[in-house]
Amino acid sequence: MNSIPQKTEQYVLGTYARAPFVLDHGQDMYLYDTGGKRYLDCVSGISVMALGHADPEITAVVNEQIAQLSHVCNLYHTAPHANLAEALCRSSFADKVYFANSGAEAIEAAIKFARKYARVTLGPGKTQIVAFSGAFHGRTAGALALTPREKYQAPFRPLMPDVVYAPFNDVGAAQKVIGPQTCAVFVEPVQGEGGIHPATPEFLQALREACDRYRALLVFDEIQCGMGRTGTLWAYEHNGITPDMMAVAKALGGGLPIGATLLTDRVAAVLQPGDHGSTFAGGPVICRVAEVVLRRVSDQTMLDHVNAMSSLLMARLKQLSSPHITDIRGLGLMIGVEMDIDVLPLITAGHRYGVLLLNAGPRVLRLLPPLIITEEHINELTETLDSILSEFAAS
Ligand SMILES: *Cc1c(COP(=O)(O)O)cnc(C)c1O
C-alpha cells in the first residue's frame, strides 16, 4: 500500500495540512477525486479559478501558445507580454506593470519600488512601511514582515526592519502612525485571510490623504479581492480611491502562476534596468492566459452576474438557521460567515457532503466560489450548509 496521501507525507515537506482525498480532474464548478466523488468547489484554489475548472478557452490558449513559444526570459520582447501589460493598464489606474510569478513576489516588488521611490525623490531615511492588523500579504521575508500574525512571524525573526502596524479600519490610529518617515502604506481593500473584512471608505480616504500629505505611496493588495471577485473588476472601484501601486495575482493566472505589480508613471520613473527581475515572470503562456481571464472578468455581463449571485447567496445564507452564526459579511463573491465555534469541523463535514469550503482564521467560514457560479450551485451550497449546520446545532 502506497497511497498518494502517504507518498505526499513521506516526500513533501509538511507545511500544509491537506484534505484526505486525491483530486483528479475538474469541470466548471466541480472537482472530482480519484474515486470519482464529486465536490462543489467553493474555494476556487483560494480565489484563483474565477472561470471555473477546465475552461475551454484557457485550455486552447495554453495549448496553442506552449506549442508556439513557451519561454524566452525577459531579455526579449514577446507580444503576449506587451499585450497583457497594456490590458492591465487600460483596465486600471496604472501606467506601468511589473510582472512576477506569485502574489508574494508582487508584494516584494512593491516594497522595493516604494523604498527606492522614497530614497530617490525624498532622500534616505524615509523607509518606514505601515501595515494593518489582520493583514495578509504573503509568506516571503518582506511580505511576512507586513503580515502581523504571531504564528506566522515568530519562528522567523528577525524580520525585515522598519515596519509598523496599526489597527485596520481605525482612521485615528492610521493618521497617528503615518508620518514624514513613512514611505508606503500597504492595505487590502477587502481583507481575505484576516476574516473577510472590507475596508471602510473613510479608512481608505484617510490613508489616501495621509499618504498625500507625507508623500508616501498607497499600495493596495488586490491579490485576493481583485479580478472581479467583489463585483467590480478592482475592489478599489467601489469607493473610487486609487492607489499608487497595486499587487495582483491569484485569479489573474486562470490556474497558472502569475503576479503583477501595477504602478503609476510617477513611481515607475525611479526604476531602471537591473533594479528588479525574474527569470520566469511575464512569459508568453501565462500572459496569453491572463489576458483571456482579464478580458472575461472585466466584461460587464460577468460583473453583473457576480453581483446578482452575491445578492442571492447572501440572502440564502441569511436564511440559514444556526445558533452559531454571528455575522455574515463580504463584497461580491467574497463572503465570510462568522461563527462562535471552530469552523474546521464544518469544512471536514463538507468533504463528506461533497462541498469544498475554506476558513479565514478559526471562526470564519470563507466562501470564494468561481465567479461562474449559478443559482443551482447556490442552492446546492446552502442546502448542504443547512445539513452541516444542523449536525452542529447542539454542539
Ligand atoms: C494569497 C495572498 C497573497 C500571497 O499570494 P501568493 O501567490 O500565495 O504568494 C498576498 N496577499 C493577499 C491578500 C493574498 O490573498
Side-chain angles (χ1 to χ4, degrees):
M1 246 256 302
N2 196 0
S3 73
I4 293 297
Q6 282 170 337
K7 202 188 277 193
T8 305
E9 191 179 356
Q10 185 172 350
Y11 293 111
V12 179
L13 184 66
T15 56
Y16 276 97
R18 287 169 214 271
F21 45 87
V22 179
L23 292 173
D24 179 75
H25 62 283
Q27 187 64 56
D28 305 324
M29 286 293 299
Y30 292 98
L31 286 163
Y32 298 82
D33 71 15
T34 44
K37 182 168 173 174
R38 187 178 89 158
Y39 303 85
L40 179 69
D41 183 8
C42 295
V43 178
S44 304
I46 315 187
S47 202
V48 169
M49 304 305 290
L51 303 178
H53 298 277
D55 179 83
E57 190 180 6
I58 290 187
T59 307
V61 150
V62 171
N63 285 333
E64 184 185 281
Q65 187 59 47
I66 207 157
Q68 184 182 331
L69 188 68
S70 63
H71 175 81
V72 295
C73 88
N74 281 300
L75 297 173
Y76 308 98
H77 290 283
T78 69
H81 184 92
N83 290 341
L84 176 61
E86 178 185 35
L88 282 166
C89 290
R90 291 214 166 148
S91 76
S92 72
F93 72 95
D95 304 307
K96 293 267 191 296
V97 178
Y98 170 80
F99 288 120
N101 304 287
S102 68
E105 273 187 49
I107 294 290
E108 296 291 332
I111 293 169
K112 285 180 67 176
F113 300 165
R115 289 254 168 99
K116 184 161 187 205
Y117 176 80
R119 178 175 295 269
V120 168
T121 59
L122 300 154
K126 191 177 171 66
T127 55
Q128 185 190 73
I129 297 176
V130 176
F132 296 98
S133 60
F136 182 87
H137 297 296
R139 309 289 202 146
T140 51
L144 180 64
L146 309 187
T147 299
R149 194 121 28 119
E150 196 51 22
K151 197 179 102 179
Y152 293 167
Q153 292 186 338
F156 307 110
R157 295 215 161 87
L159 303 173
M160 179 181 75
D162 224 1
V163 179
V164 294
Y165 311 119
F168 184 67
N169 270 344
D170 182 334
V171 169
Q175 284 167 339
K176 214 171 283 172
V177 77
I178 299 167
Q181 72 290 350
T182 308
C183 81
V185 175
F186 281 67
V187 67
E188 294 156 83
V190 184
Q191 287 191 337
E193 307 296 313
I196 312 294
H197 294 283
T200 63
E202 307 80 68
F203 182 63
L204 294 177
Q205 184 63 42
L207 297 184
R208 181 69 274 175
E209 284 166 13
C211 284
D212 289 343
R213 184 171 321 123
Y214 295 108
R215 301 174 75 184
L217 299 178
L218 181 59
V219 185
F220 285 169
D221 179 344
E222 292 221 11
I223 292 167
Q224 188 163 155
C225 64
M227 292 297 290
R229 174 60 53 188
T230 67
T232 52
L233 177 61
W234 307 117
Y236 74 76
E237 293 170 34
H238 286 282
N239 34 52
I241 294 154
T242 53
D244 303 293
M245 284 198 275
M246 180 167 80
V248 182
K250 290 200 163 98
L252 178 61
L256 297 182
I258 190 172
T261 310
L262 280 58
L263 53 166
T264 60
D265 272 334
R266 183 166 66 101
V267 183
V270 306
L271 294 151
Q272 294 155 0
D275 277 342
H276 201 39
S278 160
T279 301
F280 284 122
V285 178
I286 183 59
C287 287
R288 284 284 302 279
V289 172
E291 206 189 337
V292 169
V293 182
L294 183 63
R295 169 173 51 77
R296 299 256 304 268
V297 304
S298 304
D299 190 86
Q300 195 54 50
T301 310
M302 174 66 95
L303 296 171
D304 290 345
H305 175 76
V306 171
N307 288 308
M309 291 303 109
S310 173
S311 305
L312 186 64
L313 179 50
M314 280 290 202
R316 292 285 159 79
L317 290 171
K318 284 179 178 152
Q319 284 162 9
L320 292 173
S321 68
S322 165
H324 294 299
I325 296 178
T326 57
D327 191 24
I328 300 172
R329 59 176 176 262
L331 210 51
L333 288 171
M334 188 171 182
I335 296 174
V337 180
E338 184 147 9
M339 317 273 300
D340 64 5
I341 52 170
D342 197 327
V343 298
L344 288 179
L346 310 186
I347 293 172
T348 304
H351 299 159
R352 244 191 301 123
Y353 285 93
V355 170
L356 300 185
L357 302 164
L358 185 64
N359 68 304
R363 299 204 154 180
V364 177
L365 206 56
R366 173 169 41 155
L367 301 175
L368 296 168
L371 306 185
I372 59 166
I373 192 170
T374 65
E375 177 162 12
E376 199 182 310
H377 304 120
I378 287 174
N379 292 340
E380 183 181 343
L381 167 61
T382 49
E383 279 159 24
T384 306
L385 280 175
D386 201 40
S387 305
I388 294 171
L389 288 168
S390 63
E391 284 188 25
F392 291 85
S395 63

